[in-house]
Amino acid sequence: MSENTNGNPGFADLNLPSFLLSALGKLGYETPSPIQAATIPHIIEGKDIVGMAQTGTGKTAAFALPTLARIDVQLNAIQTLVLCPTRELAIQVSEAFQSYASGMHGFHVLPIYGGQDMRGQLRSLKRGVHVVVATPGRLLDHLSRKSIDLSRLKTIVLDEADEMLRMGFIDDVETILKSTPDSRQVALFSATMPPPIRKVATRYLKDPIEVRIETNVTTNENIEQFYWLVSGTNKLDALTRLLEVEDFDGMIVFVRTKTATVELADKLNARGYSASPLNGDMSQTIRQRTVEQIKKGSLDILIATDVAARGLDVERVSHVLNYDIPYDDEAYVHRVGRTGRAGRSGKAIMFVTPRERRLLRSIEKTTRQKIAQMELPSRNELITKRSRDLKSSVSEALKMELSDVYRNVVAELQTEEESSVEEIAAALVYLAQKDRPLIPPKETPRASYDDKREHRPRNDRDGGRRDRGGDDRKDRGDRKGRKNNADMESYKIAVGHKDQVTPREIVGAIANEAGIEGRMIGQIRIQDQFSVVDLPKGMPKETFDILKKVRVRKRQLNIERFQDNAPPQKKHD
Ligand code: AMP
């Protein structure tokens, strides 16, 4: 059986218990993605499922939410097992479980992967966990040691099954499937369906429901489409640079969550743009008023979610910016269609992280249109644009009848400072452009501070490939000399020997959350109460804020500068 999502159900229509609905509300999720709408009700009912979906489509929540709904927290036993191809994915998935389960008192999830300290895993297992998210090799190690008991398992999820096949884990996956009770439910997620995966589905799944999100849509020809591959500059800086250089009338910036609409609008307002959020939490009156404002031109930028901007028809909108890539091709077409209205031309720009390239290809395939790659405006373009803007406002001012007081000040400066009119004018230009310097500061390459973990191709990430045996000496060992000390600064994080933290866990968390490549992370000095880690200079505030909240060993890192305890400087550019 194959299902498509044409209607637009809300989370409340998917039979999810109220504690999950309120967790989703807190996370700012507005509406289920197509894969979520199509799979959640079936998984809750206990049906086996084959879901064709890739990363970025919201598939983690598509299995995490319904399996959480089936968990009995009072029962101290592993009830859901998720198998993932890589360590990073295992960590990411277990964090997702943790955040969705925020209202489930006493709930425990444990990521298990090769290279991680076995004793820690054994201790956590002894304490009791409800969900295990594991890479296959390490899970087999536990099964052969009998340190994991799957006898009460209700659901097994195979996440990114085609990746597990590609990485040579498929035999392990079968062995694990055979070690689970017959009564368990199987949910298999895979971006593609190569024959060996199809075989697993046929052999181990009972009357599975097959969910494939099909889209058949096209975009308007009068809309130019571009994407920028997120690298070297974070998304917020990239956006402000585009806002400065792009000639736009009105713009809609699309993000994924309601929370992000508010946060991003605040950040843009702080940077001097007139931006407003538009999300499903706002009352109808306020939404209408916001739309009126952008129509009339008293507002230029809307930061919107898909739901809130559905069907929006504002002629002034010359640009659509996909700050977060949409999780399905159809949403892309809807978003892009908010520009190029009434026969006008429009421009659509999308930020794509390296990890999301597959989604980009899928959009191109669906819309049968190539999306051109673009570079961010260069520093020279910024200089030209800023000079041009300044000249045009000076030219306006020259047309005004200015009082003699202004001229007198210039004359006085000439004598008092013994300066020429050109020198005084240059100083005034400098003052006028203090916030947007005509000569922007030079960029320091910050390859390590890209948006989340987006650097290497996924099968190239360390630790993910061969998790069995878990040789972690590479990361544990001496990280000295990885990077020149002059390029690094030291940060204090709130985990230490008291938490039994390992260098590998610290590297894993920082690499995963801040997108800092493992090799860019310098020395790690673990002390009793805290640790000190060297990271590349020039950490953007956004990364810093993320790292403050990251948890390792259940403890928030609360990262701070080690030497002077000051937060990193705000970037200028
Ligand atoms: P995934 O495909 O599971 O890797 O999810 C991609 C991203 O989308 C994650 O950052 C999720 O937090 C986010 N996400 C998943 N479902 C939703 C939703 N219904 N609304 C907003 N964001 C979501």
Side-chain angles (χ1 to χ4, degrees), residues 11 29 31-33 36 54-60 256-257 327:
F11 279 114
Y29 287 14
T31 186
S33 72
Q36 291 163 2
Q54 55 205 26
T55 303
T57 53
K59 72 172 161 51
T60 313
R256 280 211 165 156
T257 63
Y327 36 47

Side-chain angles (χ1 to χ4, degrees), residues 354-365:
R355 202 169 141 256
E356 291 162 347
R357 266 186 275 213
R358 275 167 89 170
L359 288 175
L360 168 73
R361 300 291 163 239
S362 163
I363 291 171
E364 288 184 324
K365 217 169 126 206

Side-chain angles (χ1 to χ4, degrees), residues 11-12 15-30 65 68 98-105 258-259 281:
F11 279 114
N15 291 337
L16 288 168
S18 58
F19 58 85
L20 289 178
L21 294 178
S22 72
L24 292 173
K26 280 191 205 129
L27 287 169
Y29 287 14
E30 199 165 43
L65 294 169
L68 280 172
Q98 195 69 60
S99 62
Y100 301 139
S102 59
M104 292 170 72
H105 194 67
K258 292 183 265 192
T259 336
D281 267 0

Side-chain angles (χ1 to χ4, degrees), residues 45-46 50 67 81 137 190 202-203 210 277 288 292 373 433 448 468 477 482 501:
E45 275 182 24
V50 173
T67 52
L81 169 66
S190 198
T202 320
R203 193 173 296 171
E210 197 159 314
Q288 265 164 6
E292 277 311 308
Q373 184 166 7
Q433 290 294 128
S448 53
R468 192 148 6 164
R482 295 193 140 223
V501 73

Side-chain angles (χ1 to χ4, degrees), residues 114-115 138 466-475 504:
R138 183 51 76 95
R466 278 277 151 208
D467 62 328
R468 192 148 6 164
D471 180 351
D472 58 352
R473 270 164 300 179
K474 184 163 51 86
D475 266 338
R504 188 168 191 116

